Amino acid sequence: LQAPALDAEARAVLEAATRNTAVVAAESSSAVDLRKVAAVYMVYGTAEWTARRFEPGLAWLERARTTFQQIAATAPQDRTARRDVAVVAGRIGLVHMRGTGRYEEGLVHYRQAYDTLDALAREVPGNAEVQRARVYSRASVGQLLVLLRRPAEALRELEPELAQLDAWRRADAADAIAPLALGAVLNLVGEARLQRGEYEAALARFDEAARYLGPELADGVADFRVLRAQ
């Protein structure tokens, strides 16, 4: 693998890592060095896939996942390590969803991310970051199911999270992300309803989505425009 250009410190970490992850682990007395290695792999993987070099990007991300899994295996109670494994799984799922178009593979990875985050959310119910990550990863599972035209399954993933997304929107008027997240999920629910031929229900959800996404964004969805024209 040829790495994209990074600063000297990051490159030094990478060069140490590419000798062999096991060697790096053996030289370290803690998981700190391995986390640095995995973080560099993540940076490289993200740089590659955003440049539309999907396969090299996936290879780096798989290295990151293997490294984070190694940390998690040696410290099962380390919630940060488990979260990191979920983050990488989600990143791999994202590459397949937005890059390779291999939606089934993306679904497998996003389900892995969701399962891990769901377990963490139950362990630390007061951790807002984990709670949001759990909901967003489940929404990504739903999005992939919509892309795969499996609307009944998609609705089972998406609709249970609408109340929580709306609660976050109501809780903080300064939160610019919560309304967009709610609108995006409402839009996906509308698409799933449309795939099922439930036109009135789809239109209602699209109308709700437009309140949060704005008509410009909502009208960018082809199915929304078709439904509006009926």
Side-chain angles (χ1 to χ4, degrees), residues 21 38 41 61-71 88:
T21 300
Y41 288 159
L61 292 173
E62 287 290 355
R63 286 188 173 194
R65 179 164 63 172
T66 298
T67 307
F68 281 131
Q69 285 174 333
Q70 182 177 344
I71 298 169
V88 182

Side-chain angles (χ1 to χ4, degrees), residues 136-177:
Y136 294 158
S137 65
R138 192 177 189 187
S140 295
V141 170
Q143 183 174 2
L144 279 160
L145 289 166
V146 168
L147 291 169
L148 289 164
R149 302 194 70 81
R150 290 156 58 179
E153 294 174 70
L155 291 170
R156 286 198 293 269
E157 302 294 342
L158 296 167
E159 289 189 324
E161 303 301 339
L162 288 173
Q164 180 61 78
L165 288 164
D166 192 45
W168 286 333
R169 178 190 66 83
R170 294 172 182 273
D172 184 359
D175 185 347
I177 299 300

Side-chain angles (χ1 to χ4, degrees), residues 110-158:
Y110 263 123
R111 282 199 188 279
Q112 291 172 350
Y114 170 72
D115 288 344
T116 299
L117 290 166
D118 187 50
L120 286 172
R122 294 173 191 277
E123 293 174 22
V124 286
N127 187 312
E129 179 185 352
V130 171
Q131 297 299 326
R132 285 182 182 253
R134 182 198 69 79
V135 171
Y136 294 158
S137 65
R138 192 177 189 187
S140 295
V141 170
Q143 183 174 2
L144 279 160
L145 289 166
V146 168
L147 291 169
L148 289 164
R149 302 194 70 81
R150 290 156 58 179
E153 294 174 70
L155 291 170
R156 286 198 293 269
E157 302 294 342
L158 296 167

Side-chain angles (χ1 to χ4, degrees), residues 15 30 36 98 108 111 127 164 179 230:
E15 289 172 354
S30 71
K36 290 180 180 178
R98 296 189 181 176
V108 169
R111 282 199 188 279
N127 187 312
Q164 180 61 78
Q230 292 178 352

Side-chain angles (χ1 to χ4, degrees), residues 168-200:
W168 286 333
R169 178 190 66 83
R170 294 172 182 273
D172 184 359
D175 185 347
I177 299 300
L180 294 176
L182 175 59
V185 173
L186 285 166
N187 195 66
L188 288 169
V189 171
E191 291 189 40
R193 292 291 178 192
L194 185 63
Q195 289 178 5
R196 288 169 60 88
E198 298 169 0
Y199 300 115
E200 290 187 7

